[in-house]
Amino acid sequence: MREPVTTTTRPRDADLAELALRLGDDALVLGQQLCQWITRAPMIEEDLALSNIALDLIGHARVLLSRSGALEGSGRDEDDLAFGRTEREFRNALLVELPNGDFAVTIARHLVFSHYAVPFYERLAGCGDAELAAFAARAAAEVGSHRRHASDWTLRLGLGTAESARRMQSGLDRIWPHAAELFESDPVVERLVDAGLHPRPDEVRVAWHEGVADVLARAELTEPAPDWHATGGRAGLHTEAFGPLVAEMQSVHRQFPGGTW
């Protein structure tokens, strides 16, 4: 049985730890998802492209989870947070844990997330926490290349054959109800915004929508208008697919606890 976590964290640090945890979980889970395309992508170039994007995201997760552990003051490091928590303790948005589906579904998820991540990190780079700001400045450049990759593939599929356009539209319809959660606010976000430590969600959403709407228009695809929106991931309420994903991700660590390579 795990010992309860005890901290002596200041309120502001606790909020920053939660922010870093949410962002780190987003990056970790999405990186894990993209790794599943290795040897399964439509072409070898995409094996390499998606694996490189996954490596970027897992690198982001390492920095963010390490920062979260340091801020919470519990002594937990990046491995403890990645491999030592149950699924209900993860704080990622539901979008990133959705099953990969076919390639078009993955690209739709990639489009939605990367167009959100760029303006978010660009604004976070100006926040009052020096370490998170420095990380965000680097991350913004990396996710900018992810955004170009997602946009290029959306155009390629949307303007390709009738079948590729149909699948891309279907992928967008599948993913779109999960986009709104990325811009939700709660007391943690509100306190951080007031302290100049978090981008304003409405500003990020406007920049996100301008970007994706432009890509969809050029790809001759229709922006979905869902009548429901997913929520709950930031509170630890996850989809049925998430438990098996976490179990696979943590399997080696659980088999060989304390192992080093």
Side-chain angles (χ1 to χ4, degrees):
M1 183 174 178
R2 290 177 55 197
E3 292 295 323
V5 174
T6 58
T7 71
T8 56
T9 308
R10 296 178 302 167
R12 194 191 92 153
D13 286 350
D15 286 343
L16 282 172
E18 177 67 16
L19 170 61
L21 188 67
R22 294 176 181 185
L23 297 175
D25 284 351
D26 283 347
L28 178 65
V29 173
L30 186 54
Q32 176 75 8
Q33 295 279 61
L34 292 178
C35 284
Q36 295 177 11
W37 277 105
I38 298 173
T39 75
R40 294 177 173 86
M43 56 190 73
I44 192 169
E45 290 86 351
E46 276 309 295
D47 278 348
L48 296 173
L50 292 175
S51 62
N52 282 329
I53 292 170
L55 284 172
D56 284 345
L57 292 169
I58 291 170
H60 296 173
R62 293 190 65 185
V63 175
L64 289 162
L65 295 181
S66 292
R67 183 64 175 145
S68 180
L71 285 164
E72 75 174 12
S74 67
R76 294 191 293 182
D77 62 15
E78 63 191 79
D79 284 345
D80 295 324
L81 290 169
F83 304 123
R85 287 180 293 158
T86 67
E87 61 186 271
R88 289 294 297 269
E89 293 176 289
F90 278 77
R91 295 294 180 260
N92 57 278
L94 297 177
L95 172 73
V96 299
E97 70 188 52
L98 293 177
N100 283 329
D102 67 14
F103 187 66
V105 172
T106 290
I107 292 300
R109 185 184 62 201
H110 187 28
L111 181 79
V112 167
F113 184 82
S114 62
H115 274 264
Y116 146 78
V118 173
F120 185 95
Y121 282 131
E122 287 176 344
R123 287 159 175 78
L124 188 64
C127 82
D129 181 80
E131 290 192 43
L132 279 179
F135 161 77
R138 297 191 303 272
E142 292 179 344
V143 294
S145 67
H146 305 174
R147 182 175 65 177
R148 287 191 296 274
H149 178 266
S151 299
D152 288 347
W153 266 108
T154 301
L155 290 166
R156 188 172 181 178
L157 294 173
L159 299 175
T161 65
E163 177 63 10
S164 72
R166 183 193 69 78
R167 290 195 178 203
M168 190 65 222
Q169 186 66 58
S170 178
L172 291 166
D173 294 341
R174 170 76 180 90
I175 292 298
W176 219 257
H178 295 80
E181 187 182 17
L182 296 171
F183 312 102
E184 286 181 347
S185 188
D186 61 18
V188 171
V189 171
E190 291 168 4
R191 289 192 296 268
L192 290 173
V193 168
D194 289 343
L197 295 166
H198 192 292
R200 295 188 178 277
D202 55 340
E203 292 181 2
V204 177
R205 182 165 195 160
V206 168
W208 168 83
H209 187 259
E210 288 177 352
V212 294
D214 175 67
V215 174
L216 296 184
R218 288 188 287 126
E220 299 180 5
L221 296 163
T222 301
E223 180 179 335
D227 57 7
W228 67 282
H229 297 290
T231 189
R234 300 303 192 202
L237 303 177
H238 297 284
T239 63
E240 291 182 5
F242 192 55
L245 187 153
V246 170
E248 180 180 358
M249 183 175 70
Q250 297 179 342
S251 60
V252 174
H253 188 271
R254 291 184 181 277
Q255 277 185 286
F256 304 100
T260 57
W261 287 266

